[in-house]
Amino acid sequence: TIATYIKNELRLIEHWKELFPERILHITYEDLVKKPEQTLTEVCDFLNIAYDKKMLAFHKNDQAVLTSSVGQVHKPINQSSVNLSANYPEFSKVFQKFYK
């Protein structure tokens, strides 16, 4: 079920990219954690806003967070989730079969 949901999400993303290629910027999480300043600068350029180094210190903001990411937004950008699926090969196999 999750694999089907993700596959449909990817199809929807491709649809919007075909309709509005100039309005959609694709970045990867891996790029964000490996080169955050460069990636955020690219995002800011795309949005036509100024890059500010404070963007990298978002985790120091003590305002309340009312989303499911509450546990993540108070931590700096890190690589702990990169390739995390490698720790769960029995689950990854389902996705690998699904996308072949």
Side-chain angles (χ1 to χ4, degrees):
T1 303
I2 294 171
T4 301
Y5 179 85
I6 293 171
K7 193 169 189 176
N8 287 332
E9 284 269 317
L10 293 173
R11 284 181 46 228
L12 185 59
I13 290 168
E14 289 306 313
H15 169 75
W16 288 117
K17 284 168 61 175
E18 285 178 25
L19 289 178
F20 304 105
E22 72 287 346
R23 296 186 67 187
I24 296 174
L25 174 67
H26 178 84
I27 62 168
T28 66
Y29 179 74
E30 290 79 6
D31 283 345
L32 180 62
V33 297
K34 286 179 186 173
K35 43 187 181 181
E37 189 167 349
Q38 180 182 340
T39 304
L40 286 175
T41 299
E42 182 182 352
V43 170
C44 290
D45 289 345
F46 185 79
L47 297 172
N48 200 27
I49 61 174
Y51 170 75
D52 186 335
K53 284 189 179 266
K54 292 177 187 174
M55 291 176 177
L56 293 173
F58 63 90
H59 59 284
K60 295 180 181 178
N61 187 327
D62 60 357
Q63 291 183 324
V65 176
L66 303 174
T67 68
S68 59
S69 62
V70 65
Q72 296 171 318
V73 297
H74 294 298
K75 296 178 184 176
I77 294 173
N78 62 75
Q79 294 191 21
S80 65
S81 294
V82 175
N83 295 323
L84 188 61
S85 63
N87 297 331
Y88 307 95
E90 66 278 9
F91 297 110
S92 299
K93 287 178 187 175
V94 173
F95 291 97
Q96 290 169 359
K97 284 182 190 177
F98 193 78
Y99 288 107
K100 286 184 178 182

